[in-house]
Amino acid sequence: MEEGKSVPELYGSLVFSDAVMRERLPKDIYKAVHKTIENGTHLELDVANTVAAVMKEWAVEHGATHFTHWFQPMTGLTAEKHDSFISPDGAGGVIMEFSGKELVKGEPDASSFPSGGLRATFEARGYTAWDPSSPAFIKDKSLYIPTAFCSYGGEALDKKTPLLRSMAALSTEAVKVLQLLGYKDVRHVLTTVGSEQEYFLIDKDLYKKRKDLLFTGRTLIGAPASKGQEMEDHYFGVLKPKVSAFMHDLDEELWKLGVPAKTKHNEVAPSQHELAPVFETANVAVDHNQLTMEVMKKVADKHNFACLLHEKPFEGINGSGKHNNWSIVTNTGVNLLDPGKHPGQDTKFLVFLVAVISAVDRYQDLLRCAVADAGNDHRLGANEAPPAIISIFVGEELDRVLKALESGSSFEEGGRVQMGMAPMLPHITKDTTDRNRTSPFAFTGNKFEFRMPGSSVSVANANIVLNTAVADVLSDIYEELKDVPKDQIDAKARKLARKMLTEHKRILFNGNGYTDEWVEEAARRGLYNLKSVPEAMPRLISDSSIALFTKHKVFSKEELMSRYEINLENYSKTIHIESLTMQEMVRKDFTSGMVAYMKALSGEAAEKKALLPEAACRMELGTLKALDEASGEMAEALERLDKDTRHAEKDADVLGCAKYYHDTILEEMEELRAIVDKAESLIPDQYLPYPTYGTMLFSLT
Ligand code: ADP
Ligand code: MG
């Protein structure tokens, strides 16, 4: 442990936390900041000035020389621009200064961030605004201030602004319903999120030898190793010492930044791992997940690893996701998705449960859009990942609760079952639901787990849609119930829940989501199966989407249009880069290896023949022939891909362009890959200038 510090001493040591504020801020100022955090009220400049002065003092004590507004533009990454605290003192020296204005507002020249047409270049100005509900922290000698980012005209240019808006919308609607149901002391609700992060670690020196990993994050060619994940020997397996050392360091770095890293383990695929944090308020959790990804890469580098966050770095083995655990908690500390001891009798629980079910059914298409990007397309629908179809798993007990609700009968509680494992072992109570690993949206005890988000992207989008969709259903529930007399509210609320459940129960599916039968069954039920980004994205600008997001003031129509464009553009750009990288790798790296091996084979055969004229040289000549044939097919496939990729650049319409990349370029890349991979499997490793799957995935000792 660093400098002999204990974990509690280390935890949050670089965070301007609530505890630090309470200790250092004058009482009235601390209260004012809290009021802003809780109620979203405006922060007066004199309050901001005091906070800034105290923050600076604290930051300087902790070694900071600079500050930066930290934001999340629509690139999906984070952005920062650092200013130092120094200010000339007029006598040739400097003093360290930081004003309230600098704390609350920044003006980055934002013309180079994607805006999807929202910001004309003559309005290059963008604003960042302090988000006091996500704590500031110190990293690399800079004070990081989490901020939201918008254009000169006030349109959101980032992921945080709509997330905060969606949390507010959900809070407003949930409070209205809870008040009706008699929970008069509920003033606001918060969404809570815990996002489990999957990743791969491979040797850095190997990583550097692969252009595809360097430029695109995933391997574009590569024959499978003789061993994959079929032995199921990696999941929860013993951590290798080098990996363990990395994870240890990672935990410490995250803890210092106040990121509550909790669980770490090996995942299903070789070299794949997972980190899960303790859940937090949604916007803080999203910030912390961004930080987690960044710190993972940095710590990996120190340990001579490359951390791969791509959704599908290797073909044929599992990809990586980010399970978004989500719930709603009231300011009085009640988790609204906690079934408690008697879920069948808890009207509030039933109403919120049915609200989530209805929301997911009503806005399946938007949830799919929220996780749509080029990387995730390789994962959704592949056999290890949730399919592109959205459905909900509620588990056995809730299934019975819902059936009872639907039929109007009373729910017979099964009681918790004790498990008899062995007499000497402690008694363990069985969970009320078994795990279902194939469902994209599963109820897991007292929260829902949305498993479709990809490993590399911000979970903001998923939570924006989830919050807004549930807010929308709650607002309908309120409209239906608002005039019901108090003594009838319980019965009427249940009746409404029953009606909604009947309408939306097609989204419930407790079986195996990876089978072909489910795909057919889902089609019969009329569920969406949006398999790719270009298939999904038009739903984001559909009438129902615009109506939803504008009603709850989460996105304006223009903001939706901009996100639609940016996402499709990113999709096309990603595949464009992949195509160019693949062509280069095949043409140069792979071909050089193949030619060298063919030369060696023909040399060997010729030498053998000279010594032994009757030698058949079947191995040498057979392989030579196979490679020669492959090289012919490869040349043709390469030429086609090259020509069609050039053609793609001329397509103007974003959707048409994305479709072209999907239907033509990706297809041709797959054809080329099949030829190359088959040939690669004939070539010994030492001829190839890049490491093979086997070396990358299994060489770590
Ligand atoms: P598993 O998915 O393996 O069942 P856990 O039950 O530990 O694992 O939960 C996984 C994630 O869910 C963790 O990040 C945890 O903090 C988070 N989580 C637990 N309760 C909630 C909640 N009420 N709201 C949001 N996330 C939660
Ligand atoms: Mg999980």
Side-chain angles (χ1 to χ4, degrees):
M1 195 67 41
E2 186 183 285
E3 300 151 21
K5 277 187 179 157
S6 69
V7 176
E9 281 170 328
L10 199 72
Y11 192 84
S13 54
L14 297 178
V15 182
F16 191 70
S17 63
D18 190 61
V20 176
M21 285 202 277
R22 193 170 350 158
E23 187 192 313
R24 297 194 173 215
L25 289 175
K27 237 192 190 131
D28 54 328
I29 302 285
Y30 173 75
K31 270 194 185 150
V33 174
H34 246 257
K35 220 171 111 201
T36 298
I37 294 174
E38 265 165 35
N39 309 331
T41 46
H42 178 71
L43 199 73
E44 298 299 331
L45 192 61
D46 58 332
V47 176
N49 276 331
T50 312
V51 177
V54 171
M55 220 186 226
K56 180 213 69 192
E57 200 179 86
W58 171 84
V60 170
E61 274 171 35
H62 286 77
T65 52
H66 289 66
F67 70 93
T68 177
H69 275 203
W70 185 62
F71 56 104
Q72 298 165 27
M74 292 188 278
T75 53
L77 306 168
T78 55
E80 51 196 48
K81 183 187 104 192
H82 302 257
D83 280 302
S84 73
F85 290 123
I86 66 162
S87 172
D89 64 0
V94 291
I95 50 166
M96 302 295 258
E97 264 187 353
F98 185 47
S99 70
K101 225 176 116 214
E102 287 172 305
L103 167 64
V104 297
K105 186 173 143 199
E107 295 187 23
D109 173 1
S111 51
S112 296
F113 291 109
S115 79
L118 275 183
R119 186 184 2 74
T121 29
F122 62 86
E123 284 177 358
R125 208 185 276 271
Y127 292 109
T128 49
W130 180 34
D131 169 14
S133 62
S134 182
F137 55 91
I138 293 171
K139 193 163 68 71
D140 306 326
K141 298 196 168 187
S142 267
L143 170 69
Y144 279 68
I145 301 157
T147 57
F149 178 44
C150 69
S151 74
Y152 186 71
E155 293 99 352
L157 292 176
D158 69 347
K159 308 221 170 221
K160 186 186 275 266
T161 308
L163 177 65
L164 292 171
R165 291 175 185 162
S166 74
M167 290 165 69
L170 180 60
S171 181
T172 305
E173 302 303 335
V175 168
K176 274 157 54 184
V177 171
L178 288 166
Q179 294 265 335
L180 267 187
L181 293 176
Y183 298 88
K184 297 286 180 206
D185 47 351
V186 176
R187 294 274 166 267
H188 64 258
V189 306
L190 283 174
T191 30
T192 50
V193 166
S195 59
E196 304 164 50
Q197 175 73 45
E198 292 179 334
Y199 61 97
F200 280 86
L201 282 182
I202 64 164
D203 185 284
K204 186 163 70 180
D205 301 323
L206 299 176
Y207 168 80
K208 282 189 181 156
K209 290 190 181 136
R210 294 211 49 136
K211 293 193 182 102
D212 48 7
L213 286 180
L214 278 171
F215 297 159
T216 74
R218 74 177 179 108
T219 53
L220 300 166
I221 53 174
S226 319
K227 181 181 172 183
Q229 62 192 43
E230 58 283 87
M231 297 298 284
E232 298 175 340
D233 51 359
H234 194 254
Y235 190 55
F236 280 17
V238 178
L239 299 176
K240 294 194 170 131
K242 282 183 195 156
V243 173
S244 179
F246 158 81
M247 288 179 170
H248 187 82
D249 239 17
L250 174 62
D251 278 343
E252 271 194 32
E253 290 304 318
L254 290 173
W255 289 340
K256 281 192 246 171
L257 295 169
V259 178
K262 172 89 174 162
T263 312
K264 50 187 182 187
H265 62 79
N266 285 349
E267 257 299 331
V268 174
S271 295
Q272 192 186 27
H273 312 281
E274 179 184 298
L275 179 147
V278 178
F279 68 94
E280 302 174 276
T281 307
N283 65 317
V284 179
V286 168
D287 285 358
H288 280 170
N289 180 253
Q290 295 290 128
L291 263 182
T292 300
M293 291 194 284
E294 189 189 316
V295 175
M296 269 180 172
K297 291 199 156 185
K298 212 164 79 182
V299 176
D301 192 63
K302 254 189 8 212
H303 286 253
N304 211 40
F305 282 126
C307 172
L308 309 182
L309 293 171
H310 194 282
E311 286 73 19
K312 196 75 178 177
F314 303 102
E315 206 164 88
I317 57 173
N318 276 12
S320 302
K322 186 136 51 187
H323 293 179
N324 188 75
N325 294 273
W326 175 95
S327 192
I328 318 170
V329 65
T330 65
N331 61 307
T332 52
V334 178
N335 176 355
L336 295 170
L337 294 176
D338 188 343
K341 286 212 171 71
H342 310 289
Q345 292 162 30
D346 185 347
T347 306
K348 156 181 70 46
F349 171 71
L350 290 175
V351 166
F352 278 86
L353 178 66
V354 171
V356 176
I357 293 171
S358 310
V360 172
D361 183 40
R362 210 188 261 182
Y363 298 111
Q364 303 159 41
D365 51 343
L366 300 183
L367 280 168
R368 172 65 183 94
C369 286
V371 298
D373 80 345
N376 217 14
D377 268 9
H378 297 288
R379 187 175 152 259
L380 299 179
N383 67 359
E384 93 287 355
I389 307 164
I390 307 225
S391 67
I392 303 180
F393 168 84
V394 289
E396 205 185 309
E397 184 180 29
L398 283 196
D399 197 40
R400 284 193 294 123
V401 172
L402 290 175
K403 288 218 165 79
L405 173 71
E406 216 191 332
S407 65
S409 59
S410 68
F411 166 65
E412 306 260 333
E413 284 179 35
R416 303 276 149 110
V417 185
Q418 295 278 328
M419 298 202 297
M421 300 205 291
M424 63 290 252
L425 292 176
H427 280 265
I428 293 177
T429 322
K430 225 164 111 169
D431 277 320
T432 50
T433 66
D434 194 6
R435 281 165 185 273
N436 173 315
R437 290 183 58 89
T438 68
S439 178
F441 203 96
F443 186 77
T444 45
N446 57 3
K447 62 189 191 288
F448 276 101
E449 182 174 344
F450 184 33
R451 293 166 174 159
M452 282 169 91
S455 47
S456 69
V457 295
S458 162
V459 275
N461 283 354
N463 290 296
I464 292 166
V465 174
L466 209 46
N467 294 343
T468 315
V470 175
D472 193 53
V473 173
L474 290 171
S475 107
D476 287 355
I477 292 176
Y478 175 77
E479 286 305 316
E480 290 271 338
L481 297 178
K482 65 177 186 215
D483 300 322
V484 173
K486 241 199 225 143
D487 58 337
Q488 293 172 27
I489 192 79
D490 207 68
K492 285 273 161 61
R494 278 165 172 272
K495 202 168 154 209
L496 178 61
R498 184 184 314 154
K499 185 171 144 247
M500 291 170 60
L501 183 61
T502 315
E503 271 167 36
H504 296 289
K505 69 177 177 190
R506 63 172 184 166
I507 197 80
L508 298 177
F509 178 63
N510 283 347
N512 183 353
Y514 294 178
T515 62
D516 294 338
E517 290 78 44
W518 168 234
V519 176
E520 288 161 25
E521 167 67 17
R524 272 196 296 277
R525 293 188 189 187
L527 300 178
Y528 278 105
N529 186 3
L530 302 165
K531 293 201 199 85
S532 66
V533 172
E535 243 183 280
M537 287 318 287
R539 298 303 309 156
L540 191 69
I541 51 167
S542 62
D543 291 346
S544 58
S545 172
I546 294 170
L548 170 74
F549 287 117
T550 51
K551 175 177 174 187
H552 298 283
K553 301 194 168 49
V554 171
F555 288 122
S556 65
K557 188 175 168 190
E558 292 69 32
E559 287 171 340
L560 278 177
M561 283 302 298
S562 85
R563 268 148 226 260
Y564 164 81
E565 288 205 1
I566 289 170
N567 200 13
L568 285 169
E569 252 172 44
N570 273 348
Y571 178 81
S572 297
K573 280 185 198 159
T574 303
I575 298 174
H576 189 78
I577 294 169
E578 287 182 351
S579 169
L580 296 185
T581 306
M582 182 179 201
Q583 291 177 47
E584 182 183 341
M585 246 182 115
V586 174
R587 211 170 268 130
K588 296 185 187 163
D589 302 351
F590 177 76
T591 304
S592 72
M594 180 175 69
V595 168
Y597 185 48
M598 285 169 84
K599 192 171 163 199
L601 283 174
S602 40
E604 248 171 58
E607 266 176 43
K608 215 197 262 181
K609 280 260 185 201
L611 287 172
L612 200 65
E614 68 275 23
C617 303
R618 278 177 59 185
M619 284 299 279
E620 295 90 335
L621 296 180
T623 307
L624 194 59
K625 191 156 172 282
L627 288 178
D628 184 55
E629 269 169 26
S631 79
E633 290 170 27
M634 215 178 290
E636 260 176 50
L638 254 181
E639 200 178 314
R640 202 163 45 235
L641 181 61
D642 176 39
K643 188 175 108 270
D644 289 341
T645 305
R646 284 169 203 274
H647 166 77
E649 289 174 89
K650 297 188 186 73
D651 216 317
D653 154 58
V654 275
L655 183 62
C657 189
K659 277 189 178 149
Y660 181 82
Y661 273 103
H662 176 265
D663 298 345
T664 304
I665 304 300
L666 266 187
E667 203 59 29
E668 290 180 0
M669 284 170 66
E670 258 168 48
E671 281 161 26
L672 176 59
R673 176 168 190 159
I675 303 165
V676 174
D677 287 2
K678 204 167 132 204
E680 195 199 273
S681 68
L682 300 174
I683 302 173
D685 284 13
Q686 71 266 25
Y687 284 92
L688 295 169
Y690 56 81
T692 58
Y693 268 36
T695 308
M696 281 186 288
L697 292 168
F698 292 101
S699 62
L700 186 66
T701 48

